[in-house]
Amino acid sequence: MSNSDNPLKGKRFQQMVLSLANEKFNKAFVEEKSVLVGTPGKEHRFDCVSSDSSIIIECKCYLWTRGNNVPSAKMSTLNEAVLYLRSVNSSATKIIAMKKDYSSKRKETLAQYYLRIYGHLLSDIQIWEVDEKEMFYRVNL
């Protein structure tokens, strides 16, 4: 599978998360909706946002590297998503939905690794670990 397939895989993951969120919260969600962040407020587009903007979700379809190493550039991008979510100018529920990817070498999923190393940055942000095969998620492992 080439890198050119990545946007399609990410989009499918985002649509699955949108479906899970619709079911869990019984609300309509919009893809790629802008929300004000920072002071003064500036629009930032998030992956999935409830129509009333009370729930904001960023989707990350990340995997361990081929050698089961940490995808460090992707961790930086994830930290950037945390910064944007923490900068939202409302009391919205904030979620990062991560694809479940288990490393037998490390004996943990990428979401578990992220929480262990960077959990202190999350504040009020939930992590959902989404299992694409089971259409299931776990919160803050």
Side-chain angles (χ1 to χ4, degrees), residues 91-118:
S91 60
T93 298
K94 302 160 199 158
I95 300 166
I96 293 179
M98 295 179 68
K99 177 180 173 144
K100 182 178 183 179
D101 189 42
Y102 183 76
S103 167
S104 53
K105 173 183 169 185
R106 294 176 174 274
K107 305 222 181 320
E108 65 184 343
T109 64
L110 196 54
Q112 289 169 326
Y113 169 83
Y114 186 81
L115 280 167
R116 183 169 55 80
I117 302 300
Y118 299 105

Side-chain angles (χ1 to χ4, degrees), residues 18 21-29 50-55:
L18 186 89
N22 280 329
E23 187 179 308
K24 169 155 178 60
F25 296 110
N26 197 26
K27 287 186 179 225
F29 279 79
S50 61
S51 54
D52 64 1
S53 297
S54 66
I55 303 164

Side-chain angles (χ1 to χ4, degrees), residues 39-72:
T39 306
K42 184 176 178 181
E43 287 192 350
H44 178 77
R45 196 169 36 211
F46 290 96
D47 294 331
C48 303
V49 180
S50 61
S51 54
D52 64 1
S53 297
S54 66
I55 303 164
I56 302 168
I57 305 173
E58 272 296 288
C59 301
K60 299 299 177 192
C61 189
Y62 295 162
L63 304 172
W64 294 101
T65 66
R66 280 194 191 118
N68 277 310
N69 294 315
V70 175
S72 53

Side-chain angles (χ1 to χ4, degrees), residues 9 17 44:
K9 288 192 293 187
V17 169
H44 178 77

